[in-house]
Amino acid sequence: MYKVGIDLGSSYTKGVLVDSSNQIIDYHLVKTGFDFNRSSKRIIDKFSENFKIDLPIYTCGYGREKLEVESVSNSEIMALAEAVYHLYNKKCSVIDIGGQDTKYIKINEIGKVDKFRMNRKCAAGTGSFLEEIAFRLDVSATEFNSFAEQATETIKINSFCTVFAVSEIVGMIKNGLTMPNIVLGIYNSILDRSFELANIDDSLILTGGIPDYHPIILKLIQKKIPNAVSPEKSQFMAAYGSVLLNTKRVN
Amino acid sequence: MKEKIYTIGIDVGSSLIKASLIEYSANPVILDKRTEKIRKRNPEVVADQVMDSILETHNLTFEDIAYVATTGEGELLKRKKGHFYSMTTHARGGIFMNEGAKTVVDMGALYVRAIKINELGRVLNYKMTGQCASGSGQFVENISKYLGVAIEDVGETSLKATNPEKPSGICSVLAETDVINMVSRGITTPDIIKGIHLSIADKIIKLLTSLKAESPIALTGGMAINHGMVQAIEELAHKANLNYQFVTHQDAIFAGSYGAAIWGGYRYLKLKSDNAIVL
């Protein structure tokens, strides 16, 4: 029997399929769009093609209470902390860079959440920042990563606000600055916002959609914090954690 | 016969160029006013074209113009004689259109500025939004685009609201998702737009109270001709028991351009009289 965890985020809905020994068997990702039921149904249907799924579904995230299917909902912070502790089994700090928010979670020695902070009122420092800029410049956000790899120097983006940053960047392009250097500046701006959330120590674990698609962000962080790590498929951590929270509770 | 003094004011904004031709005197007369979208072109080229077309319409040559004044982002235009800061031009333009105003609120595409002025239109004090686009015209424009409402119709649409729904955050970028959510929850377009207007009005009222603004307050800039926006500001001021009287003018979007042209005329005469003394 297999369990499904679904993280209903504001931009994407993430699903994981977990076996009885709590190992992830499969991942599936769909755009959230306007209907949480539709996006989660697509995930459940996809997994049901090959596997027999146990109800309830374990959910977390922004849209977790809107499902029609039988489900148990969890806080995404608890879920994220659970998954990270399950994988690393140590006291650590987590930075989760998602589509519309950036979270900082401090986990203690026994896996409990000690501290939590998030940025939720502003797109600066989140995936939306990248997406909006990519949209305005008419490049795909995934191209950004390879751009930044070619950067020769760092440019500082002075604007805090995404809307203003776009105007600033358009001006930079006009003044002949190259895309790779500008894009590196964009990534650094996201990092600055993350590091404003808390004093981050050596035990940093980076999660969320951004490190998955923009691996350069981990490399940039490692310049400051050499021991920082990011789990594979870090976008699915909260979905995984919501299954773990409940199976462990039962056991 | 006294020589006529023609001046041109060019206000270069983030998306729109506003230009005007005036006959300068103690009572300046507006002879022409134009707006032109920049649309990814070089603002300098666009401004030059607008200026040429104004001159042609009035059978004037560039030499007939006593002073070409720029404001906003127009500092780089080569044919200008002088550049004035937006704060001073909006103050002057605001009081020109709304006699007796003691405060001017310029609601532009990127910033909102609240400016306290004296009876001559000089700036006494000001407060502006920084860092964040949440109170700006761009915000309204983005949302209207998502909702498929033409920017000219946003004001009228807002007036039809019955139960306005404010976005949960203030960020212009994140509001996009919020609006998608509202649409899926069945909130009507007027209610969404009114909610956005209220959230901007909230910021403006905060600026005004921290400035200790005095009434009457002239609203200028692109958003001042949006009735829905003005009504939202009035509503919130009333709710906060602030005894503000708001005035606006159909040419509100030209405040910067008029102000620049008027200051240009003033400076032209001043330079002339200074030179006379030297000679």
Side-chain angles (χ1 to χ4, degrees), chain A residues 10-11 33-34 36 62 66 99-100 120-124 126 128-129 132 136 160-164 167 174, chain B residues 41-43 110-111 130-133 136 138 142 145-146 169-174 176-178 180-181 184-185:
Chain A
S10 53
S11 312
F34 62 90
F36 293 109
Y62 185 63
K66 315 224 160 133
Q100 297 210 348
R120 245 248 81 146
K121 65 179 198 319
C122 174
T126 72
S128 297
F129 183 72
E132 182 75 11
R136 301 278 161 189
F160 188 91
C161 173
T162 313
V163 176
F164 295 166
S167 326
K174 221 186 235 166
Chain B
R41 289 179 287 173
N42 182 346
L110 295 186
Y111 306 99
Q131 289 219 335
C132 173
S136 71
Q138 188 72 50
N142 288 358
K145 225 180 272 166
Y146 306 145
I170 54 166
C171 179
S172 323
V173 177
L174 299 186
E176 183 182 351
T177 324
D178 234 10
I180 293 173
N181 243 310
S184 76
R185 281 186 359 241

Side-chain angles (χ1 to χ4, degrees), chain B residues 102-179:
Chain B
K102 290 188 172 143
T103 306
V104 173
V105 179
D106 167 36
M107 304 187 287
L110 295 186
Y111 306 99
V112 175
R113 308 179 179 91
I115 314 160
K116 229 171 161 169
I117 52 175
N118 70 7
E119 62 280 3
L120 296 171
R122 289 192 188 268
V123 177
L124 299 175
N125 194 4
Y126 73 90
K127 287 263 154 94
M128 71 184 281
T129 57
Q131 289 219 335
C132 173
S134 61
S136 71
Q138 188 72 50
F139 188 24
V140 178
E141 207 172 318
N142 288 358
I143 300 291
S144 72
K145 225 180 272 166
Y146 306 145
L147 293 173
V149 179
I151 191 77
E152 303 81 36
D153 300 335
V154 164
E156 294 302 318
T157 312
S158 167
L159 295 179
K160 290 182 200 135
T162 49
N163 196 8
E165 176 98 359
K166 269 206 219 178
S168 61
I170 54 166
C171 179
S172 323
V173 177
L174 299 186
E176 183 182 351
T177 324
D178 234 10
V179 166

Side-chain angles (χ1 to χ4, degrees), chain B residues 46-67:
Chain B
V46 181
D48 272 346
Q49 283 170 0
V50 176
M51 202 175 358
D52 286 337
S53 114
I54 290 178
L55 292 175
E56 204 187 315
T57 313
H58 295 271
N59 264 329
L60 293 168
T61 64
F62 184 66
E63 286 66 39
D64 295 328
I65 306 300
Y67 204 100

Side-chain angles (χ1 to χ4, degrees), chain A:
Chain A
M1 292 301 257
Y2 297 92
K3 294 180 270 304
V4 172
I6 296 182
D7 174 10
L8 292 130
S10 53
S11 312
Y12 288 94
T13 302
K14 285 82 70 176
V16 290
L17 186 73
V18 178
D19 69 10
S20 50
S21 60
N22 281 337
Q23 295 297 313
I24 302 179
I25 302 295
D26 201 2
Y27 305 88
H28 194 53
L29 173 80
V30 296
K31 267 209 156 177
T32 298
F34 62 90
D35 189 343
F36 293 109
N37 266 307
R38 202 172 68 161
S39 64
S40 39
K41 194 170 174 301
R42 280 171 64 194
I43 286 176
I44 296 166
D45 288 351
K46 167 85 178 159
F47 288 148
S48 312
E49 282 171 15
N50 300 317
F51 299 95
K52 174 125 181 50
I53 289 169
D54 251 359
L55 285 179
I57 305 293
Y58 303 100
T59 62
C60 68
Y62 185 63
R64 61 181 185 250
E65 261 136 37
K66 315 224 160 133
L67 292 197
E68 284 160 8
V69 60
E70 187 191 341
S71 61
V72 176
S73 78
N74 307 282
S75 128
E76 67 207 270
I77 293 117
M78 301 297 284
L80 187 59
E82 186 70 29
V84 169
Y85 191 74
H86 177 78
L87 290 177
Y88 295 93
N89 220 336
K90 61 169 187 181
K91 179 182 172 185
C92 57
S93 317
V94 181
I95 293 257
D96 182 88
I97 310 179
Q100 297 210 348
D101 57 34
T102 301
K103 301 183 196 78
Y104 160 75
I105 304 172
K106 200 166 172 57
I107 302 174
N108 69 11
E109 298 82 359
I110 54 163
K112 292 265 176 289
V113 175
D114 252 5
K115 239 188 223 167
F116 161 66
R117 265 201 207 130
M118 81 191 272
N119 153 24
R120 245 248 81 146
K121 65 179 198 319
C122 174
T126 72
S128 297
F129 183 72
L130 275 180
E131 259 180 31
E132 182 75 11
I133 292 172
F135 174 73
R136 301 278 161 189
L137 299 182
D138 202 19
V139 287
S140 86
T142 43
E143 281 175 68
F144 270 17
N145 199 70
S146 46
F147 267 130
E149 302 268 9
Q150 301 155 28
T152 51
E153 59 177 307
T154 314
I155 290 165
K156 187 157 172 55
I157 312 270
N158 291 308
S159 312
F160 188 91
C161 173
T162 313
V163 176
F164 295 166
V166 172
S167 326
E168 194 184 337
I169 290 164
V170 169
M172 287 176 173
I173 294 172
K174 221 186 235 166
N175 290 331
L177 299 184
T178 65
M179 269 307 269
N181 292 346
I182 295 174
V183 171
L184 185 62
I186 295 169
Y187 281 122
N188 275 320
S189 157
I190 293 188
L191 286 188
D192 288 348
R193 298 291 91 77
S194 306
F195 284 97
E196 276 164 14
L197 279 176
N199 280 327
I200 293 152
D201 52 37
D202 211 31
S203 60
L204 178 67
I205 290 159
L206 192 65
T207 63
I210 298 304
D212 259 353
Y213 298 100
H214 305 269
I216 187 135
I217 212 129
L218 179 64
K219 284 190 204 159
L220 292 174
I221 286 189
Q222 282 169 340
K223 282 186 187 164
K224 287 186 191 173
I225 303 170
N227 292 332
V229 288
S230 177
E232 213 180 301
K233 302 267 183 194
S234 63
Q235 190 176 20
F236 295 90
M237 283 304 115
Y240 183 37
S242 53
V243 176
L244 294 177
L245 269 179
N246 293 278
T247 51
K248 287 200 171 167
R249 229 182 259 162
V250 175
N251 299 342

Side-chain angles (χ1 to χ4, degrees), chain B residues 270-279:
Chain B
K270 194 153 188 304
L271 285 171
K272 216 171 141 187
S273 65
D274 286 355
N275 284 342
I277 294 164
V278 173
L279 289 169

